[in-house]
Amino acid sequence: MSSVFQRRDMYDSVVVDREQDVVLTTGQLYGLQVRRELERSFKPVIPFAPHLFGSGKTRFVKSYLELLKSMGERALIGPENISDCEIDRRRSFLDKLHEAVLLYVDLTELKPTNPIEEKRNLEWAVHYLLFKSACLKSGQGQPDPDECFKVFKLRTDVLIKKIREVLSMRTDQFLLVAFDEVGVLDTRGKFFDLEVNDEGRVRPYNDFFGIIRGLCKEDNVFFIVVGKSEGLSIHNYAASVSRVELTFIPLSPLEKHSIIEHLEKSSSSMFTGSPKVSQILCHQHFSTNELAELLLELTGGVPGLLVKAINYLLHCKLSQDHLLLSKESFWMIMNDSIATNYCVDPLLPRLSSLSETRQRLLKMLTLLALYHIRFELGELVHLSSTFDVFLFDLVTDMCFYRRLIVDENHQERYEVLIHKLLIGYIEQIVRNDRLEWLLLQTLKSQPVEFFYESKCRVFEGLVATMFYLHFCYHPTDSLMFSILGQLSSVWKEMNLKFSSESTAYYMKSIHYTRSTSEVERTTFGINDWKEIVEEMLEFEKIYIPFEPTSRSPDILFKLHGRTSGQNLIVGIACKGRWSSNGIRWNEIVDEACKFLQPVHDQVVTVHPTVHDQVVTVHPTLHCMLVIMSTKLSTSVATDLNHSSHCYSFGDRVAGVFTIPLNCELIILSESDVENFIGKDILSSLRSAFKSTDNPHSRSIGISTVQEMVLSLSKNI
């Protein structure tokens, strides 16, 4: 790669949207001070960020004190009800923290250190690296390790005193030590004599945090630890063995409004007058809002990837002064292999070295990302009969990212984020895994809104995927297709075989807006179905509308007839009923009214058109609505004799709705839905959602996701 693409200084990037991380970190530092004042045998509290490249770890710790000052008292004094005395204590702590000195320590510099008899002593290596970092920060040069050991002798009080002298600090001034790249202990640990546990294993992180615990006994010293590592595993062992309490700093990816702020505040001295990045890359016909959306869709809001993408765009602008960005030119530039290689280069060594065991877990992680399935902090994934790994750590290990989600009940869960920059490289790894390839194509086609406003729920997504796989691989031996064919003569006349080329679109959302009196609205208005059916829905593609609950079914697709005489538009209303109440007749009628009637009125009854005295007869369009519910009410099930049923033209539904011409309503029985989705999967979903019908409010459990993978794999 040309050296110009290695530049990291195309612009001065401003750290944004880290207020919650500052609040959490400051609270933990204050907690350490309080514990230290109360008793000497305390358990230290240490903020810990075990994240992958690009999450903003290094920038955060280096900018922490600056961010702290910009927040003022909000960093530690919030809306909670605390006493005046406690407020005064916190203010005093903040005042001292504002005067703190930050000592940044790069653990990639950690290595065995003289004197010879201490070369394999990790504690001495850490102590020496601390002092060396202080000396280099003050401009004194690298100290002699032999001379240092003669003075320090592994005494923490002498070490901290000498660091203060080197940095010209007062004895009561706070020293904030930021250890970066803690993940090097995975490989550097073998160079040191480490403690062996009862199982005969060594865990370098236990030794490391034990060393920090000893340093925390010194007054006015605080620590932050960051780096790529198996964070949750380290967290649990450190708490039990090293007697250190690690608290995760989320460092979640940025949202669109934060990317806009970043573009508007960051400037580049590479351009005359050091203009803001937004002024350089945006113009009258390409707004900062549009650029932020594209960057979010490309990078997922991961800060490091965002900075690299902006760097590359600035380089292109610098070398092509007349370049005017647009949505089309943005994707043309960023989809180029040079651009993607530059952005994801730090991730490729880890990604290319994934074991076969971990590669088999890609489908599960892709499903988690695709359906926005949340998981609990301590959820385990079974890699083998004898080995488990925390999903929290697995996400990092697989080169993906986590988003912390805090719900209305203040419960914390996580989502998996797979950014689009990486999808092409994953495809190369799994080129022979058809299901993973299909899921990745789906993920790639999702618009930017899915990142933070997803309406794609688990049940609807699973049904859409199952239908697609049946269309592609089992159109002739699908039990569900056979049932629909027995119920509907129109379905039986359709071409049910999809070509594989259309797979990239099978979950693409319809989120089309148009201006009406300067107000944007979705096209699922009462008079929009002609436009949707004729212009937006393409054959051999399955859609989950972005707004599926208001004016359309949850899934839509359009089928060719075996002859040119008729086509079929199908809507599927997915009704996940996980509690005791099944779907009622009035709900079924509502679904029919919002789909069958307007589609019939606007599309099905279209008359022949005449142009230049030529009459064009359009293919007959039929419309079908399928009610797929996990549970029917007692009255509905009884009226249907617990069997699937089809209502055709002229039939009355619940005595209040008449099926229009060329339309059908099919209500599937619970047993047919169960056979299609899978009994075990429905049982797991029902158990997870039994107290609510909102899949986002609870974790469905990794075992359920793995069952979904197995079920989908059987359809390939």
Side-chain angles (χ1 to χ4, degrees):
M1 187 183 299
S2 173
S3 60
V4 70
F5 298 129
Q6 299 299 328
R7 299 186 66 117
R8 300 184 61 84
D9 58 350
M10 287 297 293
Y11 76 110
D12 300 318
S13 60
V14 175
V15 179
V16 297
D17 194 28
R18 288 297 180 226
E19 286 81 3
Q20 291 303 315
D21 300 300
V22 170
V23 169
L24 183 146
T25 302
T26 307
Q28 298 308 307
L29 299 179
Y30 177 67
L32 171 58
Q33 183 75 338
V34 170
R35 294 186 185 191
R36 187 157 45 200
E37 291 174 353
L38 291 176
E39 56 176 320
R40 297 303 293 179
S41 59
F42 62 94
K43 178 183 285 190
V45 183
I46 300 173
F48 182 38
H51 305 300
L52 192 58
F53 157 81
S55 58
K57 306 178 297 295
T58 301
R59 287 297 306 275
F60 176 74
V61 295
K62 287 185 174 181
S63 308
Y64 168 71
L65 292 178
E66 180 183 341
L67 295 169
L68 176 78
K69 292 174 184 177
S70 68
M71 285 191 66
E73 290 188 351
R74 291 183 297 118
L76 191 58
I77 303 174
E80 68 269 24
N81 187 21
I82 56 177
S83 66
D84 292 340
C85 179
E86 177 63 16
I87 291 176
D88 291 339
R89 288 184 64 185
R90 296 189 180 194
R91 280 179 179 153
S92 175
F93 178 81
L94 277 176
D95 290 341
K96 297 189 71 174
L97 194 56
H98 288 160
E99 297 179 348
V101 173
L102 175 69
L103 179 59
Y104 176 79
V105 182
D106 185 354
L107 285 171
T108 60
E109 298 294 322
L110 182 69
K111 55 187 177 183
T113 306
N114 283 337
I116 191 69
E117 62 271 18
E118 299 294 335
K119 263 191 174 293
R120 295 187 62 82
N121 188 330
L122 179 62
E123 184 176 12
W124 166 240
V126 172
H127 283 197
Y128 175 73
L129 182 58
L130 274 167
F131 187 66
K132 183 178 82 169
S133 300
C135 291
L136 295 176
K137 178 181 176 69
S138 65
Q140 294 187 17
Q142 184 165 315
D144 180 81
D146 291 291
E147 293 300 319
C148 289
F149 188 77
K150 290 178 183 178
V151 176
F152 302 152
K153 297 287 187 181
L154 295 178
R155 292 176 298 182
T156 56
D157 57 337
V158 178
L159 171 65
I160 299 302
K161 180 180 178 181
K162 289 296 181 181
I163 289 176
R164 289 184 180 280
E165 291 175 1
V166 168
L167 298 177
S168 302
M169 295 177 62
R170 305 187 311 271
T171 55
D172 65 339
Q173 192 172 2
F174 285 179
L175 172 64
L176 178 58
V177 179
F179 282 110
D180 196 1
E181 300 293 351
V182 68
V184 302
L185 291 171
D186 288 331
T187 55
R188 301 286 173 86
K190 62 186 178 183
F191 298 123
F192 301 98
D193 293 326
L194 304 174
E195 184 178 343
V196 180
N197 64 18
D198 295 339
E199 300 173 351
R201 300 178 61 185
V202 295
R203 296 190 179 277
Y205 294 98
N206 291 349
D207 296 73
F208 175 72
F209 282 109
I211 294 167
I212 293 182
R213 181 173 178 271
L215 290 166
C216 283
K217 294 179 180 178
E218 302 303 320
D219 291 335
N220 300 323
V221 182
F222 304 85
F223 295 88
I224 303 175
V225 179
V226 303
K228 299 178 286 291
S229 59
E230 293 187 345
L232 187 53
S233 178
I234 295 168
H235 170 279
N236 292 346
Y237 279 106
S240 60
V241 178
S242 307
R243 297 199 68 244
V244 171
E245 184 178 319
L246 303 180
T247 302
F248 293 125
I249 309 172
L251 296 179
S252 289
L254 303 179
E255 299 186 29
K256 188 176 78 171
H257 67 88
S258 300
I259 297 177
I260 292 174
E261 182 184 358
H262 178 79
L263 293 169
E264 292 178 342
K265 289 185 175 180
S266 301
S267 58
S268 175
S269 59
M270 304 294 291
F271 295 80
T272 304
S274 298
K276 303 300 183 185
V277 172
S278 58
Q279 296 172 325
I280 299 169
L281 297 177
C282 302
H283 49 85
Q284 181 180 359
H285 303 293
F286 185 67
S287 66
T288 307
N289 183 74
E290 290 175 286
L291 177 57
E293 282 193 353
L294 293 171
L295 287 167
L296 175 60
E297 187 166 346
L298 177 74
T299 67
V302 176
L305 300 176
L306 178 71
V307 169
K308 276 184 162 275
I310 294 172
N311 265 324
Y312 192 84
L313 290 170
L314 289 173
H315 164 75
C316 292
K317 180 66 176 177
L318 192 64
S319 59
Q320 305 173 47
D321 185 50
H322 298 295
L323 173 67
L324 287 179
L325 277 182
S326 64
K327 182 175 182 179
E328 292 73 22
S329 63
F330 174 91
W331 286 115
M332 187 179 300
I333 292 170
M334 296 311 301
N335 282 334
D336 185 272
S337 60
I338 296 177
T340 54
N341 285 340
Y342 166 67
C343 290
V344 303
D345 184 64
L347 303 177
L348 296 184
R350 180 183 287 250
L351 190 64
S352 61
S353 62
L354 288 178
S355 66
E356 289 187 13
T357 301
R358 277 167 164 71
Q359 286 184 34
R360 287 196 292 270
L361 296 172
L362 278 170
K363 288 189 286 289
M364 180 192 72
L365 291 173
T366 308
L367 275 179
L368 288 170
L370 182 60
Y371 298 156
H372 295 260
I373 299 172
R374 298 174 183 177
F375 65 90
E376 309 281 356
L377 177 63
E379 290 203 55
L380 286 166
V381 177
H382 302 291
L383 295 184
S384 68
S385 58
T386 59
F387 184 57
D388 296 335
V389 64
F390 288 112
L391 179 56
F392 184 93
D393 295 337
L394 181 65
V395 172
T396 300
D397 196 36
M398 303 283 277
C399 298
F400 302 148
Y401 295 86
R402 295 177 298 265
R403 288 185 59 233
L404 174 65
I405 307 295
V406 182
D407 64 20
E408 62 276 7
N409 298 319
H410 306 291
Q411 284 202 303
E412 296 184 352
R413 293 185 179 85
Y414 295 87
E415 286 184 0
V416 177
L417 171 64
I418 302 178
H419 55 84
K420 295 189 177 182
L421 276 168
L422 205 58
I423 288 178
Y425 297 93
I426 303 174
E427 287 174 346
Q428 297 175 26
I429 295 175
V430 298
R431 62 174 64 94
N432 296 323
D433 189 327
R434 197 64 184 166
L435 177 59
E436 175 63 16
W437 186 84
L438 291 170
L439 296 174
L440 287 171
Q441 295 307 303
T442 301
L443 201 58
K444 186 189 293 185
S445 72
Q446 283 190 354
V448 65
E449 293 91 343
F450 266 64
F451 281 131
Y452 297 105
E453 304 175 37
S454 175
K455 305 297 189 300
C456 178
R457 293 174 297 279
V458 179
F459 184 52
E460 288 85 332
L462 183 59
V463 171
T465 307
M466 295 286 282
F467 262 93
Y468 185 82
L469 294 178
H470 281 231
F471 279 126
C472 282
Y473 300 103
H474 303 284
T476 59
D477 58 359
S478 165
L479 178 60
M480 176 55 66
F481 287 6
S482 175
I483 292 170
L484 292 174
Q486 293 171 22
L487 295 171
S488 167
S489 58
V490 177
W491 178 274
K492 188 181 293 187
E493 294 302 316
M494 293 298 110
N495 179 13
L496 303 178
K497 175 63 177 176
F498 277 16
S499 61
S500 59
E501 286 75 17
S502 65
T503 54
Y505 302 94
Y506 80 99
M507 283 273 290
K508 190 171 183 179
S509 165
I510 298 174
H511 182 58
Y512 177 82
T513 59
R514 67 183 186 190
S515 179
T516 304
S517 302
E518 299 183 353
V519 176
E520 286 197 337
R521 63 184 180 84
T522 65
T523 59
F524 296 113
I526 192 168
N527 298 314
D528 292 324
W529 280 104
K530 187 175 188 297
E531 181 179 7
I532 295 170
V533 172
E534 295 183 356
E535 298 182 23
M536 298 177 65
L537 296 185
E538 299 181 33
F539 289 102
E540 297 194 357
K541 296 177 184 178
I542 291 184
Y543 298 84
I544 291 186
F546 188 73
E547 299 286 353
T549 58
S550 56
R551 298 192 182 277
S552 77
D554 301 296
I555 299 169
L556 290 168
F557 52 87
K558 194 161 59 172
L559 300 176
H560 276 300
R562 290 198 178 93
T563 66
S564 60
Q566 57 184 358
N567 296 325
L568 176 65
I569 176 175
V570 180
I572 300 178
C574 298
K575 298 297 179 181
R577 291 295 187 266
W578 315 110
S579 57
S580 58
N581 299 319
I583 185 172
R584 301 182 300 274
W585 278 117
N586 64 309
E587 295 175 90
I588 293 173
V589 170
D590 287 343
E591 292 291 333
C593 288
K594 77 179 184 183
F595 179 61
L596 291 181
Q597 195 65 58
V599 172
H600 167 269
D601 295 343
Q602 299 167 41
V603 187
V604 173
T605 57
V606 171
H607 299 289
T609 57
V610 180
H611 182 69
D612 292 337
Q613 298 184 339
V614 176
V615 179
T616 301
V617 180
H618 299 281
T620 302
L621 184 67
H622 293 260
C623 183
M624 174 186 291
L625 175 64
V626 180
I627 303 294
M628 181 173 284
S629 178
T630 57
K631 187 174 182 60
L632 303 175
S633 68
T634 302
S635 61
V636 173
T638 301
D639 290 347
L640 300 180
N641 197 27
H642 300 280
S643 301
S644 296
H645 187 77
C646 178
Y647 291 87
S648 301
F649 169 56
D651 291 342
R652 297 276 288 174
V653 181
V656 295
F657 180 78
T658 302
I659 302 295
L661 179 66
N662 291 340
C663 293
E664 291 179 326
L665 168 66
I666 291 179
I667 306 174
L668 294 173
S669 68
E670 292 178 25
S671 60
D672 285 340
V673 172
E674 183 179 274
N675 289 332
F676 181 60
I677 300 298
K679 183 177 181 180
D680 292 339
I681 293 176
L682 285 183
S683 177
S684 298
L685 292 177
R686 190 172 289 112
S687 176
F689 304 147
K690 59 186 177 184
S691 61
T692 175
D693 286 329
N694 178 10
H696 274 182
S697 66
R698 293 192 60 181
S699 167
I700 68 173
I702 296 308
S703 60
T704 301
V705 180
Q706 291 176 316
E707 287 174 5
M708 290 166 60
V709 170
L710 289 174
S711 178
L712 293 172
S713 298
K714 293 175 182 177
N715 289 280
I716 293 290

